[in-house]
Amino acid sequence: MLTRSGCQTNTLKMLLLLVMVCLLFNCAVSGIPKPEEKRVLDHEVINHVPHFQNEEHNKQYDHEAFLGEDAKTFDQLEPEESRRRLGLIVEKIDTDKDSFVNLSELKAWIQYTQRRYIEDDVSRQWKQHNPNNDTDTIHWDTYRKNVYGFMDEMDPKDLDQGDENYSYKAMLSRDRRRWSVADRDGDDRLARAEFTEFLHPEESPYMRDIVVQETIEDIDKDNDGKVSVQEYIGDMYRGREDSDDEPEWVKHERETFSNFRDKNKDGFMDSQEVRDWIIPADFDHAEAEARHLIYEADSDADEKLTKEEIIEKYDLFVGSQATDFGEALTRHDEF
């Protein structure tokens, strides 16, 4: 299995989160069953388990996708202790102390947990590459040595070996290109703000082009610079080649591609169409996630949640960004 830098994995988490939020919200509105739509990029964490097993929804997939490495810690907690901690989180979300969690409070909490996740991740990796904090920047050579230094001792013919686009050589090339885009002043050093954009390009409008480019490269198997319907479906569904039967959601996705993704009806998604897909204009993913959670947990349909309603839907919330990828559930100093 190929190793990958921590920055790449965390970037993939956030990109995955954005699309999964769209997916979950669409499910709530349309009622159409959806697949493991793991766009934007491959996410190593969720490859451990399939999203559906024998057409049954697999909750462990959501736990790994949304809890990340904390999923294992969470799984080790006793159910009552996990619910207790979730109840304490609800009290923090209810900022006006009226015993209800409304849309704006839940949205604000999700935005807070996202900011904290990014800040914690950047701080951890900044310390890794600048352990003594003795400089205001990190040079590319330092980053390359820390992440890809092992390649210097490898046989050159092994550098091109790997799964699809993820050979060591390809990963280095991709990180190098992204580094150069984030390096706004062109000195081959990244200040902390630039380093943040390198690690989390999905959060920076300045970096959106590189996100789109990387997405196309991951899906575009024939390297023609665009995404066909076969590549679009193949990224989500690994059906049997000798079977003509496809699940209903696959047929729905084919229709979605033709009716909505491929806007100019040429049979492909170009870079602008891919951008519209993965970075929809005016889409507020924190609000979409908050609306989804309320829709699923609001048993009395009053458009707000009590602590009891949230704990009743325990599995939903431990698999949601609302619990900070499980971080809030496993930080012992908060409980």
Side-chain angles (χ1 to χ4, degrees):
M1 178 178 180
L2 293 177
T3 58
R4 235 182 131 64
S5 66
C7 70
Q8 187 73 11
T9 298
N10 288 320
T11 295
L12 302 186
K13 286 181 181 179
M14 298 306 297
L15 291 171
L16 171 69
L17 172 63
L18 175 62
V19 175
M20 286 297 292
V21 165
C22 296
L23 166 65
L24 292 170
F25 183 58
N26 288 338
C27 284
V29 173
S30 67
I32 298 173
K34 291 286 186 174
E36 52 171 310
E37 187 171 313
K38 57 185 181 68
R39 265 304 93 198
V40 171
L41 307 175
D42 266 352
H43 179 31
E44 293 150 342
V45 173
I46 67 171
N47 287 340
H48 298 159
V49 293
H51 198 183
F52 289 86
Q53 289 181 321
N54 299 323
E55 300 184 356
E56 294 293 329
H57 182 257
N58 184 0
K59 291 182 179 180
Q60 187 60 34
Y61 174 96
D62 290 332
H63 290 176
E64 291 201 13
F66 285 93
L67 298 175
E69 294 179 356
D70 290 329
K72 294 180 180 179
T73 302
F74 173 81
D75 289 341
Q76 293 172 359
L77 292 175
E78 292 294 330
E80 288 305 314
E81 173 63 10
S82 298
R83 290 184 175 89
R84 183 187 73 84
R85 295 187 182 195
L86 181 57
L88 294 178
I89 293 174
V90 174
E91 294 174 6
K92 291 184 178 182
I93 299 174
D94 178 22
T95 54
D96 62 9
K97 306 305 178 186
D98 66 349
S99 299
F100 294 97
V101 171
N102 59 37
L103 177 64
S104 62
E105 289 172 329
L106 190 52
K107 175 182 173 180
W109 174 260
I110 291 171
Q111 291 172 329
Y112 161 72
T113 59
Q114 179 181 340
R115 288 193 302 270
R116 183 171 68 177
Y117 165 75
I118 292 175
E119 291 167 1
D120 287 352
D121 180 53
V122 172
S123 294
R124 177 179 60 81
Q125 297 204 50
W126 183 268
K127 184 176 181 179
Q128 176 185 347
H129 299 293
N130 187 14
N132 299 320
N133 200 31
D134 51 5
T135 65
D136 295 329
T137 60
I138 296 174
H139 195 280
W140 165 253
D141 290 342
T142 299
Y143 177 84
R144 183 199 177 283
K145 181 179 180 181
N146 289 340
V147 177
Y148 296 104
F150 67 91
M151 292 173 58
D152 296 336
E153 307 299 324
M154 290 181 61
D155 189 316
K157 69 176 182 296
D158 293 332
L159 297 178
D160 289 316
Q161 296 180 0
D163 298 329
E164 299 178 357
N165 292 334
Y166 291 111
S167 67
Y168 296 122
K169 187 175 180 180
M171 289 190 291
L172 172 59
S173 177
R174 173 174 288 198
D175 270 3
R176 184 63 171 115
R177 181 181 60 195
R178 189 191 289 186
W179 185 281
S180 297
V181 174
D183 178 23
R184 299 198 188 197
D185 56 12
D187 62 356
D188 224 12
R189 298 175 178 272
L190 298 187
R192 191 178 178 102
E194 295 172 321
F195 191 61
T196 300
E197 291 186 321
F198 169 74
L199 296 179
H200 296 279
E202 76 287 347
E203 294 299 308
S204 168
Y206 179 76
M207 299 290 288
R208 294 291 168 81
D209 286 345
I210 199 68
V211 172
V212 172
Q213 184 176 359
E214 290 179 1
T215 301
I216 293 175
E217 290 173 352
D218 288 337
I219 308 176
D220 177 24
K221 303 307 180 185
D222 60 7
N223 297 315
D224 63 354
K226 51 191 178 181
V227 177
S228 67
V229 64
Q230 290 83 3
E231 290 166 334
Y232 173 79
I233 295 298
D235 183 60
M236 297 180 284
Y237 176 62
R238 302 293 192 272
R240 291 177 54 184
E241 295 182 1
D242 60 349
S243 175
D244 294 329
D245 295 329
E246 289 183 335
E248 283 301 316
W249 67 259
V250 175
K251 297 175 182 178
H252 173 74
E253 285 300 328
R254 289 187 185 277
E255 295 174 359
T256 298
F257 183 94
S258 299
N259 296 332
F260 301 104
R261 307 292 188 219
D262 177 21
K263 296 182 178 180
N264 63 5
K265 308 304 178 185
D266 66 350
F268 300 91
M269 279 197 291
D270 57 26
S271 60
Q272 183 58 52
E273 289 165 335
V274 170
R275 176 188 292 268
D276 293 341
W277 170 36
I278 66 172
I279 313 173
D282 301 322
F283 178 76
D284 187 332
H285 76 273
E287 180 168 333
E289 171 71 350
R291 288 186 181 277
H292 163 71
L293 293 172
I294 291 176
Y295 176 90
E296 292 291 340
D298 183 18
S299 58
D300 59 5
D302 63 354
E303 299 186 354
K304 53 188 177 182
L305 302 178
T306 63
K307 180 190 291 188
E308 290 73 22
E309 286 175 321
I310 291 174
I311 294 177
E312 177 67 22
K313 289 287 186 175
Y314 160 80
D315 285 350
L316 173 68
F317 283 87
V318 298
S320 164
Q321 188 193 4
T323 54
D324 195 16
F325 301 101
E327 186 73 12
L329 286 169
T330 55
R331 289 187 178 188
H332 298 288
D333 58 335
E334 295 189 2
F335 302 98

